[in-house]
Every structure is written in structure tokens, then in C-alpha cells.
Amino acid sequence: MTVPIAVENGLDWDLFVERYWDREPVLIKQPHPAPFDLDTAFAAAQAASATLNSSILLTVDGVSRTLTKDLLPRADDAGFAEYAARMRRERPELTYSLLVAAFHSYSSALWSQERDFLMPLWDRVGLPLTGAITTLFHGPYAATPVGVHLDRFATFMFLVQGRKRMRFWREQPWTEQVSSMQDYAHLLESSFVVEPDIGDLLYWPANFYHVGEGADADAATSVNIGLPRTEHRLRYDIERLVADLTTDSLMNRGPTSQVGMPAVAEPLHVALPQADGAISGVPTAITAAYEQFAESLRESRVREASDLYWTSAGLQPMPDAD
């Protein structure tokens, strides 16, 4: 089912916040200045690919693959189109998708473009406590590898090359106890589709289920900005005060993550409560950890972390200077 959404010619931030922010999707035609350009995005993809780190997800025929430099953008590829042509030439039987998380951290030029784009929004709605994320999506894939899903982020998608459509549902379209749906043919009737042109900006709020689809057999390239709107975890803010976050630490965050928390060599021991319920002693490992934690929260560290966060416009980790 195709349902038209609002279309705006150009980006008026006041109008956007009033009508669409956390409310409805909108297709913004040819915003000026554009948040990203093709050459800068490809240079960032090359820089990310050279690291072979955990921020990169490569799937081939829908299966995650071990990263090798011949499967990623290389220094001798002139752009996304040339990279896609090389992949077709060397592996004509395969389809692939390339996703790069923390994408802004690989290029100061791309980070600067994104910061300039977001600052007018932050002026109107406030800088979020947890930062924005940036993700590159590239490839001739039929659908986003994870399938239909819901993010905790409101999203801006900027199409820099090729044809791509986004399929949306206003509420969860399945009753199964799963968080995503890769085989979603039976859900198509309840969805609606938006297909931007190159240079268009598509926004959708965090409460819309969605999946990205290739509109033809050629590779499409988009850069997405995710803005956290739900499921904020306070420990993320503490991490920003006590740890120097890196691309890898952000990508590897899990349910038991303790990014930057101090290691303690002495074994943990548990003190038994006294009869009146008072604790007879504090475990020495916890005391050592607390002392290091308190030290890290001295005024200079808090001010440094705050200044860095405002300077970065919430886009951390910041890239190295080019």
C-alpha cells in the first residue's frame, strides 16, 4: 500500500520542528546546503574500510562475512560506483551490503558537515544527552539485512547515490515475540513506501517500524543520522564522564559493558551483615573502584567532558584531524 507523506521543498527548521519532529515522516526535497556530499562520504568509507574494525558490517548474499580489504572500498576505487562495479566484476554472482556505524568518526570533513546540519535543530529542541549516530548504508541488496525493525532513534536519511525506498509501518505489524522480521512478504499490505530522489532528505520518528529496500539491481548509497529518542540509559552519561570513548568502545557496548571502568586486581569479597542489619565492612575492591571513580569526576574532568560534548554537537567519538 502506497500512502503519500508530507513533502516539503527545502528545509525550514522552524516548520520542521512544529509539524514533524517526533510526529510524522516527511520527505524534504533537495535541502540546501546538503548534509553530505558523495565524495566526502566515499572518503570516509575508504578510511573506515582501512581499519577493518567492528564498526563495519559486511553481508554477502545476506550472510555476515569476515572483513577482508578486497571486499571493501579500497584506495584505488574512485567512488561508490567504481567500488560497486569492481564488486560486480570480481563477484558477479553475489549481492552485498556494507554498513559502517559511527561513520562521522572517520572523516573530519564529514563530521563538520553533519555538525553544521544538526546545530540548527539542537538550537530548537536541545542537545540530547546521548549523542547522534551516523551510519553508511551501501549496496545492491534487496532489503536491510536486519529486516523490518524499530529503532530507539528518530532518523534522517540522505540519499547520495542510486535508488532506494523506505517501507514503513505505523505500529508493530506482527504478533510474534521477535524484535525484527527478515521475511516480511506477508506484511507488505499494511505498509507504505517512500522513494526519495538523490539529494533528498527523508525523516521518520522513532515509533515507525521500517526497512530499507533497493529500488533496482544497482547499488544505492545513503547516510543516516539517528537521534536518540527512547530507551535512554543513564550509565551512558556516566561513561562519558569517566571514560574516553572510542569508536570500538561505542560499537562493542553490550548488556554487561563496563566501558572505561577501572580494573581491580584484588579479589572481591562480600561482607556479611551484622545482626542489626548494618554492613560490617565494605569490600575492598568496591572501595578501590569508588576512589578511582570519584577521582575521575573532579571538576576539571566534568568540565572537559561537557566542553567536548558541546563542541562535538553530540557526535562522538570525534574524528582525528585530517
Coordinates of all heavy atoms in Angstrom, one line a residue, residues 52-142:
L52 N 39.3 -2.1 9.2 CA 38.7 -3.5 9.4 C 38.2 -3.7 10.8 O 38.3 -4.8 11.4 CB 39.8 -4.6 9.1 CG 40.3 -4.6 7.7 CD1 41.4 -5.8 7.5 CD2 39.2 -4.9 6.7
N53 N 37.6 -2.7 11.4 CA 37.2 -2.8 12.8 C 35.7 -3.1 12.9 O 35.0 -3.3 11.9 CB 37.6 -1.6 13.7 CG 36.8 -0.4 13.3 OD1 35.7 -0.5 12.8 ND2 37.3 0.8 13.7
S54 N 35.2 -3.2 14.2 CA 33.9 -3.7 14.4 C 32.8 -2.8 14.1 O 31.6 -3.1 14.2 CB 33.8 -4.1 15.9 OG 34.1 -3.0 16.7
S55 N 33.1 -1.6 13.6 CA 32.0 -0.7 13.2 C 31.5 -1.0 11.8 O 30.5 -0.4 11.4 CB 32.5 0.8 13.2 OG 33.5 1.0 12.2
I56 N 32.2 -1.9 11.1 CA 31.8 -2.3 9.7 C 31.1 -3.6 9.8 O 31.5 -4.6 10.3 CB 33.1 -2.4 8.9 CG1 33.9 -1.1 8.9 CG2 32.7 -2.7 7.4 CD1 35.3 -1.3 8.3
L57 N 29.9 -3.7 9.1 CA 29.2 -4.9 8.9 C 29.1 -5.1 7.4 O 28.5 -4.3 6.7 CB 27.8 -4.8 9.5 CG 26.9 -6.0 9.3 CD1 27.5 -7.3 9.9 CD2 25.5 -5.8 9.8
L58 N 29.6 -6.2 6.9 CA 29.5 -6.6 5.5 C 28.7 -7.9 5.4 O 29.1 -8.9 6.1 CB 30.9 -6.8 4.9 CG 30.9 -7.2 3.4 CD1 30.5 -6.1 2.5 CD2 32.3 -7.8 3.0
T59 N 27.7 -7.9 4.6 CA 26.9 -9.1 4.4 C 27.0 -9.4 2.9 O 27.0 -8.5 2.1 CB 25.4 -9.0 4.8 OG1 24.8 -8.0 4.0 CG2 25.3 -8.7 6.2
V60 N 27.2 -10.7 2.6 CA 27.2 -11.2 1.2 C 26.2 -12.3 1.1 O 26.1 -13.2 1.8 CB 28.6 -11.8 0.8 CG1 28.6 -12.3 -0.6 CG2 29.7 -10.7 1.0
D61 N 25.2 -12.0 0.1 CA 24.1 -12.9 0.0 C 23.3 -13.1 1.3 O 22.9 -14.2 1.7 CB 24.5 -14.3 -0.6 CG 24.9 -14.2 -2.1 OD1 24.5 -13.2 -2.7 OD2 25.5 -15.1 -2.5
G62 N 23.3 -12.0 2.1 CA 22.5 -12.0 3.3 C 23.2 -12.5 4.5 O 22.6 -12.6 5.6
V63 N 24.5 -13.0 4.3 CA 25.2 -13.6 5.4 C 26.4 -12.7 5.8 O 27.2 -12.3 4.9 CB 25.7 -15.0 5.0 CG1 26.5 -15.7 6.2 CG2 24.5 -15.9 4.7
S64 N 26.6 -12.5 7.1 CA 27.7 -11.7 7.5 C 29.0 -12.3 7.2 O 29.2 -13.5 7.4 CB 27.6 -11.4 9.1 OG 28.7 -10.7 9.5
R65 N 29.9 -11.5 6.7 CA 31.2 -12.1 6.2 C 32.4 -11.5 7.0 O 32.3 -10.3 7.5 CB 31.4 -11.7 4.7 CG 30.6 -12.5 3.8 CD 31.1 -14.0 3.6 NE 32.4 -14.0 3.0 CZ 32.6 -14.1 1.7 NH1 31.5 -14.2 0.9 NH2 33.8 -14.2 1.2
T66 N 33.4 -12.3 7.2 CA 34.7 -11.8 7.8 C 35.2 -10.7 6.9 O 35.2 -10.8 5.6 CB 35.7 -12.9 7.9 OG1 35.1 -13.9 8.8 CG2 37.0 -12.4 8.5
L67 N 35.7 -9.6 7.5 CA 36.1 -8.5 6.7 C 37.5 -8.7 6.0 O 38.4 -9.2 6.7 CB 36.2 -7.2 7.6 CG 34.9 -6.8 8.2 CD1 35.2 -5.5 9.1 CD2 33.9 -6.5 7.2
T68 N 37.6 -8.5 4.7 CA 38.8 -8.5 4.0 C 38.8 -7.3 3.1 O 37.8 -6.8 2.6 CB 39.0 -9.8 3.2 OG1 37.9 -9.9 2.2 CG2 39.0 -11.0 4.0
K69 N 40.0 -6.8 2.9 CA 40.1 -5.5 2.2 C 39.6 -5.6 0.7 O 39.2 -4.6 0.1 CB 41.5 -5.0 2.2 CG 41.9 -4.5 3.6 CD 43.2 -3.8 3.7 CE 43.5 -3.3 5.1 NZ 44.8 -2.5 5.2
D70 N 39.7 -6.8 0.1 CA 39.2 -6.9 -1.3 C 37.7 -6.8 -1.4 O 37.2 -6.5 -2.4 CB 39.7 -8.2 -1.9 CG 39.1 -9.4 -1.2 OD1 39.2 -9.5 0.1 OD2 38.6 -10.3 -1.8
L71 N 37.0 -7.0 -0.2 CA 35.5 -6.9 -0.2 C 35.0 -5.5 0.1 O 33.8 -5.2 0.1 CB 34.9 -7.9 0.7 CG 35.0 -9.3 0.3 CD1 34.5 -10.2 1.5 CD2 34.3 -9.6 -1.0
L72 N 36.0 -4.6 0.5 CA 35.6 -3.2 1.0 C 36.1 -2.2 0.1 O 37.0 -2.4 -0.8 CB 36.2 -3.0 2.4 CG 35.7 -4.0 3.5 CD1 36.5 -3.8 4.8 CD2 34.2 -3.9 3.7
P73 N 35.6 -0.9 0.2 CA 36.2 0.2 -0.6 C 37.7 0.3 -0.4 O 38.2 0.3 0.7 CB 35.4 1.4 -0.1 CG 34.1 0.8 0.4 CD 34.5 -0.5 1.0
R74 N 38.5 0.4 -1.5 CA 39.9 0.4 -1.4 C 40.4 1.8 -1.9 O 39.6 2.6 -2.5 CB 40.6 -0.6 -2.3 CG 40.2 -2.0 -1.9 CD 41.0 -3.1 -2.7 NE 41.1 -2.9 -4.1 CZ 41.0 -3.8 -5.0 NH1 40.9 -5.1 -4.6 NH2 41.1 -3.6 -6.3
A75 N 41.7 2.1 -1.6 CA 42.3 3.3 -2.0 C 42.2 3.5 -3.5 O 42.2 4.7 -4.0 CB 43.7 3.4 -1.5
D76 N 42.2 2.5 -4.3 CA 42.2 2.6 -5.8 C 40.8 2.6 -6.4 O 40.7 2.7 -7.6 CB 43.0 1.5 -6.4 CG 42.5 0.1 -6.1 OD1 41.8 0.0 -5.1 OD2 42.9 -0.9 -6.8
D77 N 39.8 2.6 -5.5 CA 38.4 2.8 -6.0 C 38.2 4.3 -6.1 O 38.4 5.0 -5.1 CB 37.4 2.1 -5.1 CG 37.5 0.6 -5.1 OD1 37.7 0.0 -6.2 OD2 37.3 0.0 -4.0
A78 N 37.6 4.7 -7.2 CA 37.4 6.2 -7.3 C 36.1 6.7 -6.7 O 36.0 7.9 -6.5 CB 37.4 6.5 -8.8
G79 N 35.2 5.8 -6.3 CA 34.0 6.2 -5.7 C 33.1 5.0 -5.5 O 33.5 3.9 -5.8
F80 N 31.9 5.3 -4.9 CA 31.0 4.2 -4.7 C 30.6 3.4 -5.9 O 30.5 2.2 -5.9 CB 29.7 4.7 -4.0 CG 29.9 5.0 -2.5 CD1 29.8 6.4 -2.1 CD2 30.1 4.1 -1.6 CE1 30.0 6.7 -0.8 CE2 30.3 4.4 -0.3 CZ 30.2 5.7 0.1
A81 N 30.4 4.2 -7.1 CA 30.0 3.5 -8.3 C 31.1 2.6 -8.8 O 30.9 1.5 -9.3 CB 29.7 4.5 -9.4
E82 N 32.4 3.0 -8.7 CA 33.5 2.2 -9.1 C 33.7 1.0 -8.2 O 34.1 -0.1 -8.6 CB 34.8 3.1 -9.1 CG 34.8 4.1 -10.3 CD 33.9 5.3 -10.0 OE1 33.5 5.5 -8.8 OE2 33.6 6.1 -10.9
Y83 N 33.5 1.2 -6.9 CA 33.6 0.1 -5.9 C 32.5 -0.9 -6.3 O 32.8 -2.2 -6.3 CB 33.4 0.6 -4.5 CG 33.0 -0.4 -3.5 CD1 33.9 -1.5 -3.2 CD2 31.9 -0.3 -2.7 CE1 33.5 -2.5 -2.3 CE2 31.6 -1.2 -1.7 CZ 32.4 -2.3 -1.5 OH 32.1 -3.2 -0.5
A84 N 31.3 -0.5 -6.5 CA 30.2 -1.4 -6.9 C 30.5 -2.1 -8.2 O 30.2 -3.4 -8.3 CB 28.9 -0.7 -7.0
A85 N 31.1 -1.4 -9.2 CA 31.4 -2.0 -10.4 C 32.5 -3.1 -10.2 O 32.5 -4.2 -10.9 CB 31.9 -1.0 -11.4
R86 N 33.5 -2.8 -9.4 CA 34.5 -3.8 -9.1 C 33.9 -5.1 -8.4 O 34.3 -6.2 -8.8 CB 35.6 -3.2 -8.2 CG 36.7 -4.2 -7.8 CD 37.9 -3.6 -7.1 NE 37.5 -2.9 -5.8 CZ 37.4 -3.5 -4.7 NH1 37.5 -4.8 -4.6 NH2 37.1 -2.8 -3.6
M87 N 33.0 -4.9 -7.5 CA 32.4 -6.0 -6.8 C 31.6 -6.8 -7.8 O 31.6 -8.1 -7.8 CB 31.5 -5.5 -5.7 CG 32.2 -4.9 -4.5 SD 33.1 -6.2 -3.5 CE 31.7 -6.8 -2.6
R88 N 30.9 -6.2 -8.8 CA 30.1 -6.9 -9.8 C 31.1 -7.7 -10.7 O 30.8 -8.8 -11.1 CB 29.3 -5.9 -10.7 CG 28.0 -5.4 -10.0 CD 27.1 -4.8 -11.0 NE 27.7 -3.7 -11.8 CZ 27.7 -2.5 -11.4 NH1 27.1 -2.1 -10.3 NH2 28.3 -1.6 -12.2
R89 N 32.2 -7.0 -11.0 CA 33.2 -7.6 -12.0 C 33.9 -8.8 -11.3 O 34.0 -9.9 -11.9 CB 34.2 -6.6 -12.4 CG 35.2 -7.1 -13.4 CD 36.1 -5.9 -13.9 NE 36.9 -5.3 -12.8 CZ 36.6 -4.1 -12.3 NH1 35.6 -3.4 -12.7 NH2 37.3 -3.6 -11.3
E90 N 34.3 -8.7 -10.0 CA 35.0 -9.8 -9.4 C 34.1 -10.8 -8.8 O 34.5 -12.0 -8.7 CB 35.9 -9.2 -8.3 CG 36.9 -8.2 -8.8 CD 37.7 -7.5 -7.7 OE1 37.4 -7.8 -6.5 OE2 38.7 -6.8 -8.0
R91 N 32.9 -10.5 -8.4 CA 31.9 -11.4 -7.8 C 30.5 -11.2 -8.4 O 29.6 -10.8 -7.7 CB 31.9 -11.3 -6.3 CG 33.3 -11.7 -5.7 CD 33.3 -11.3 -4.2 NE 34.5 -11.8 -3.5 CZ 35.7 -11.3 -3.6 NH1 35.9 -10.2 -4.4 NH2 36.7 -11.8 -3.0
P92 N 30.4 -11.5 -9.7 CA 29.1 -11.2 -10.3 C 27.9 -11.9 -9.8 O 26.7 -11.5 -10.0 CB 29.3 -11.5 -11.8 CG 30.5 -12.5 -11.8 CD 31.3 -12.1 -10.6
E93 N 28.2 -13.1 -9.1 CA 27.1 -13.9 -8.6 C 26.6 -13.5 -7.2 O 25.6 -14.0 -6.7 CB 27.5 -15.4 -8.5 CG 28.5 -15.7 -7.3 CD 29.9 -15.2 -7.5 OE1 30.2 -14.5 -8.5 OE2 30.7 -15.6 -6.7
L94 N 27.2 -12.5 -6.6 CA 26.9 -12.1 -5.2 C 26.2 -10.8 -5.1 O 26.4 -9.9 -5.9 CB 28.2 -12.0 -4.4 CG 29.1 -13.3 -4.3 CD1 30.3 -13.0 -3.5 CD2 28.3 -14.5 -3.8
T95 N 25.3 -10.7 -4.1 CA 24.8 -9.4 -3.7 C 25.5 -9.1 -2.3 O 25.8 -10.0 -1.6 CB 23.3 -9.4 -3.5 OG1 22.9 -10.4 -2.6 CG2 22.6 -9.7 -4.9
Y96 N 25.6 -7.8 -2.0 CA 26.3 -7.5 -0.7 C 25.6 -6.2 -0.2 O 24.9 -5.4 -0.8 CB 27.7 -7.2 -1.0 CG 28.0 -6.0 -1.8 CD1 28.3 -4.8 -1.1 CD2 28.0 -6.0 -3.2 CE1 28.6 -3.6 -1.8 CE2 28.3 -4.8 -3.9 CZ 28.5 -3.6 -3.2 OH 28.8 -2.5 -3.9
S97 N 25.9 -6.0 1.1 CA 25.5 -4.8 1.8 C 26.7 -4.4 2.7 O 27.3 -5.2 3.3 CB 24.2 -4.9 2.6 OG 24.4 -5.8 3.7
L98 N 27.0 -3.1 2.7 CA 28.0 -2.5 3.5 C 27.4 -1.5 4.4 O 26.8 -0.5 4.0 CB 29.1 -1.9 2.6 CG 30.2 -1.1 3.4 CD1 31.1 -2.1 4.2 CD2 31.1 -0.3 2.4
L99 N 27.6 -1.7 5.7 CA 27.1 -0.8 6.8 C 28.3 -0.4 7.6 O 29.1 -1.2 8.0 CB 26.1 -1.4 7.7 CG 24.6 -1.5 7.2 CD1 24.5 -2.4 6.0 CD2 23.7 -2.0 8.4
V100 N 28.4 0.9 7.8 CA 29.5 1.5 8.6 C 28.9 2.3 9.7 O 28.2 3.4 9.4 CB 30.5 2.3 7.8 CG1 31.6 2.8 8.7 CG2 31.1 1.5 6.7
A101 N 29.0 1.9 11.0 CA 28.5 2.7 12.1 C 29.5 3.7 12.5 O 30.7 3.6 12.1 CB 28.1 1.7 13.2
A102 N 29.1 4.6 13.4 CA 30.0 5.7 13.8 C 30.7 6.4 12.6 O 31.9 6.7 12.7 CB 31.0 5.2 14.8
F103 N 29.9 6.5 11.5 CA 30.5 6.9 10.3 C 31.2 8.3 10.3 O 32.3 8.5 9.7 CB 29.4 6.9 9.2 CG 29.9 7.0 7.8 CD1 30.9 6.2 7.3 CD2 29.3 7.9 6.9 CE1 31.4 6.2 6.0 CE2 29.8 8.0 5.6 CZ 30.8 7.2 5.1
H104 N 30.7 9.2 11.1 CA 31.2 10.5 11.2 C 32.6 10.5 11.8 O 33.4 11.5 11.6 CB 30.3 11.5 12.0 CG 30.1 11.0 13.4 ND1 29.1 10.3 13.8 CD2 30.9 11.2 14.5 CE1 29.2 10.1 15.1 NE2 30.3 10.6 15.5
S105 N 33.0 9.5 12.5 CA 34.3 9.4 13.2 C 35.4 9.1 12.3 O 36.6 9.2 12.7 CB 34.3 8.4 14.3 OG 34.2 7.1 13.8
Y106 N 35.2 8.9 11.0 CA 36.2 8.5 10.1 C 36.6 9.7 9.1 O 37.5 9.5 8.3 CB 35.8 7.3 9.2 CG 35.7 6.1 10.0 CD1 34.5 5.6 10.4 CD2 36.8 5.4 10.4 CE1 34.4 4.4 11.2 CE2 36.7 4.2 11.2 CZ 35.5 3.8 11.5 OH 35.4 2.6 12.3
S107 N 36.0 10.8 9.3 CA 36.3 12.0 8.4 C 36.0 13.3 9.1 O 34.8 13.5 9.5 CB 35.6 11.9 7.1 OG 35.6 13.1 6.4
S108 N 36.9 14.1 9.3 CA 36.6 15.4 9.9 C 35.8 16.3 9.0 O 34.9 17.1 9.5 CB 37.9 16.2 10.2 OG 38.7 16.4 9.1
A109 N 35.9 16.1 7.7 CA 35.1 16.9 6.7 C 33.6 16.4 6.8 O 32.7 17.3 6.9 CB 35.6 16.7 5.3
L110 N 33.4 15.1 6.9 CA 32.0 14.6 7.0 C 31.4 15.0 8.4 O 30.3 15.4 8.5 CB 32.0 13.1 6.8 CG 30.6 12.5 6.8 CD1 30.5 11.5 5.6 CD2 30.3 11.8 8.1
W111 N 32.2 14.9 9.5 CA 31.8 15.3 10.8 C 31.4 16.8 10.8 O 30.4 17.1 11.4 CB 32.9 15.0 11.8 CG 32.6 15.6 13.2 CD1 31.9 15.0 14.2 CD2 33.1 16.9 13.7 NE1 31.9 15.9 15.3 CE2 32.6 17.0 15.0 CE3 33.8 17.9 13.1 CZ2 32.8 18.1 15.7 CZ3 34.1 19.0 13.9 CH2 33.6 19.1 15.2
S112 N 32.2 17.6 10.2 CA 31.9 19.0 10.1 C 30.6 19.3 9.4 O 29.8 20.1 9.8 CB 33.1 19.8 9.5 OG 32.8 21.2 9.4
Q113 N 30.4 18.6 8.3 CA 29.1 18.8 7.5 C 27.9 18.4 8.4 O 26.9 19.1 8.4 CB 29.1 17.9 6.3 CG 30.1 18.4 5.2 CD 30.2 17.4 4.0 OE1 29.6 16.3 4.0 NE2 30.9 17.8 3.0
E114 N 28.0 17.3 9.1 CA 26.9 16.8 9.9 C 26.7 17.7 11.1 O 25.6 18.0 11.5 CB 27.2 15.4 10.4 CG 26.1 14.8 11.2 CD 26.3 13.3 11.4 OE1 27.2 12.7 10.8 OE2 25.5 12.7 12.3
R115 N 27.8 18.2 11.7 CA 27.6 19.1 12.8 C 26.9 20.4 12.4 O 26.0 20.9 13.1 CB 29.0 19.5 13.4 CG 29.0 20.4 14.6 CD 30.4 20.7 15.1 NE 30.4 21.5 16.3 CZ 30.3 22.9 16.3 NH1 30.1 23.5 15.1 NH2 30.3 23.5 17.4
D116 N 27.3 21.0 11.2 CA 26.6 22.2 10.7 C 25.2 21.9 10.4 O 24.3 22.8 10.6 CB 27.3 22.6 9.4 CG 28.7 23.2 9.7 OD1 29.0 23.5 10.9 OD2 29.5 23.4 8.7
F117 N 24.9 20.7 10.0 CA 23.5 20.3 9.7 C 22.6 20.3 10.9 O 21.5 20.7 11.0 CB 23.4 19.0 8.9 CG 22.1 18.4 8.8 CD1 21.2 18.9 7.9 CD2 21.7 17.3 9.6 CE1 19.9 18.4 7.7 CE2 20.4 16.8 9.4 CZ 19.5 17.3 8.5
L118 N 23.2 19.7 12.0 CA 22.4 19.4 13.2 C 22.3 20.6 14.2 O 21.3 20.7 14.9 CB 23.0 18.3 14.0 CG 22.9 16.9 13.4 CD1 23.7 15.9 14.3 CD2 21.4 16.5 13.4
M119 N 23.2 21.6 14.1 CA 23.2 22.7 15.1 C 21.9 23.5 15.1 O 21.4 23.8 16.2 CB 24.4 23.6 14.9 CG 25.7 23.0 15.4 SD 25.7 22.5 17.1 CE 25.6 24.1 17.9
P120 N 21.3 23.8 13.9 CA 20.0 24.5 14.0 C 18.9 23.7 14.6 O 18.0 24.3 15.3 CB 19.7 24.7 12.5 CG 21.0 24.7 11.8 CD 21.8 23.6 12.5
L121 N 18.9 22.3 14.5 CA 18.0 21.5 15.2 C 18.2 21.6 16.7 O 17.3 21.7 17.5 CB 18.0 20.1 14.7 CG 17.1 19.1 15.4 CD1 15.6 19.5 15.2 CD2 17.3 17.7 14.9
W122 N 19.5 21.4 17.1 CA 19.8 21.5 18.6 C 19.4 22.8 19.2 O 18.9 22.9 20.3 CB 21.2 21.2 18.8 CG 21.8 19.9 18.4 CD1 23.1 19.6 18.1 CD2 21.1 18.6 18.3 NE1 23.3 18.3 17.8 CE2 22.1 17.7 17.9 CE3 19.8 18.2 18.4 CZ2 21.7 16.3 17.7 CZ3 19.5 16.9 18.2 CH2 20.4 16.0 17.8
D123 N 19.5 23.9 18.4 CA 19.1 25.2 18.9 C 17.6 25.2 19.2 O 17.2 26.0 20.1 CB 19.4 26.3 17.8 CG 20.9 26.6 17.7 OD1 21.7 26.2 18.6 OD2 21.3 27.2 16.7
R124 N 16.8 24.4 18.6 CA 15.4 24.4 18.7 C 14.9 23.4 19.7 O 13.9 23.6 20.4 CB 14.7 24.3 17.4 CG 14.9 25.5 16.5 CD 14.6 25.2 15.0 NE 14.7 26.4 14.2 CZ 15.8 27.0 13.8 NH1 17.0 26.5 14.1 NH2 15.7 28.1 13.1
V125 N 15.5 22.2 19.7 CA 15.0 21.1 20.6 C 15.9 20.7 21.7 O 15.5 19.9 22.6 CB 14.6 19.9 19.7 CG1 13.6 20.2 18.6 CG2 15.9 19.2 19.1
G126 N 17.1 21.2 21.7 CA 18.1 20.9 22.7 C 19.0 19.8 22.3 O 18.6 18.9 21.6
L127 N 20.2 19.8 22.8 CA 21.2 18.7 22.5 C 20.8 17.5 23.4 O 20.7 17.6 24.6 CB 22.6 19.2 22.9 CG 23.7 18.3 22.5 CD1 23.9 18.2 21.0 CD2 25.0 18.9 23.1
P128 N 20.6 16.3 22.8 CA 20.3 15.2 23.6 C 21.4 14.7 24.4 O 22.6 14.9 24.1 CB 19.9 14.1 22.5 CG 20.8 14.5 21.3 CD 20.8 16.0 21.3
L129 N 21.1 14.0 25.6 CA 22.1 13.6 26.5 C 23.0 12.5 25.8 O 24.2 12.5 26.0 CB 21.4 13.0 27.7 CG 20.9 14.0 28.7 CD1 20.1 13.3 29.8 CD2 22.0 14.9 29.3
T130 N 22.4 11.6 25.1 CA 23.2 10.6 24.4 C 23.3 11.1 22.9 O 22.3 11.7 22.4 CB 22.6 9.2 24.4 OG1 21.2 9.3 24.0 CG2 22.7 8.6 25.8
G131 N 24.4 10.9 22.3 CA 24.7 11.6 21.0 C 24.0 10.9 19.8 O 23.5 9.8 19.9
A132 N 24.1 11.7 18.7 CA 23.6 11.2 17.5 C 24.5 10.1 16.9 O 25.7 10.0 17.3 CB 23.5 12.3 16.5
I133 N 23.9 9.2 16.1 CA 24.7 8.2 15.5 C 24.7 8.4 14.0 O 23.7 9.0 13.5 CB 24.3 6.7 15.8 CG1 22.9 6.5 15.3 CG2 24.4 6.5 17.3 CD1 22.5 5.0 15.3
T134 N 25.7 8.0 13.3 CA 25.8 8.1 11.8 C 26.1 6.8 11.2 O 27.0 6.1 11.7 CB 26.9 9.1 11.4 OG1 26.9 10.2 12.3 CG2 26.6 9.6 10.0
T135 N 25.3 6.3 10.2 CA 25.5 5.0 9.6 C 25.5 5.2 8.1 O 24.6 5.8 7.5 CB 24.4 4.0 10.0 OG1 24.3 4.0 11.5 CG2 24.8 2.6 9.6
L136 N 26.5 4.6 7.4 CA 26.5 4.4 6.0 C 25.8 3.1 5.6 O 26.1 2.1 6.2 CB 27.9 4.4 5.5 CG 28.1 4.0 4.0 CD1 27.7 5.2 3.1 CD2 29.5 3.6 3.7
F137 N 24.9 3.2 4.6 CA 24.3 2.1 4.0 C 24.6 2.1 2.5 O 24.3 3.0 1.8 CB 22.8 2.1 4.2 CG 22.3 1.9 5.6 CD1 22.2 3.0 6.4 CD2 21.9 0.7 6.1 CE1 21.8 2.8 7.8 CE2 21.5 0.5 7.4 CZ 21.4 1.6 8.2
H138 N 25.2 1.0 2.0 CA 25.6 0.9 0.6 C 25.4 -0.5 0.1 O 25.7 -1.5 0.9 CB 27.1 1.4 0.4 CG 27.6 1.0 -1.0 ND1 27.3 1.8 -2.1 CD2 28.3 0.0 -1.4 CE1 27.8 1.3 -3.1 NE2 28.5 0.1 -2.8
G139 N 25.0 -0.6 -1.1 CA 25.0 -2.0 -1.7 C 23.8 -2.2 -2.6 O 22.8 -1.4 -2.6
P140 N 23.8 -3.2 -3.4 CA 22.7 -3.6 -4.3 C 21.8 -4.7 -3.6 O 21.4 -5.6 -4.2 CB 23.5 -4.2 -5.5 CG 24.7 -4.8 -4.9 CD 25.1 -4.0 -3.7
Y141 N 21.6 -4.5 -2.3 CA 20.8 -5.5 -1.6 C 19.3 -5.3 -1.7 O 18.8 -4.2 -2.0 CB 21.2 -5.5 -0.1 CG 21.1 -4.2 0.6 CD1 20.0 -3.7 1.2 CD2 22.3 -3.3 0.6 CE1 19.9 -2.5 1.8 CE2 22.2 -2.1 1.2 CZ 21.0 -1.7 1.8 OH 21.0 -0.5 2.5
A142 N 18.5 -6.4 -1.6 CA 17.1 -6.3 -1.7 C 16.5 -5.6 -0.5 O 15.5 -4.8 -0.7 CB 16.5 -7.7 -1.8

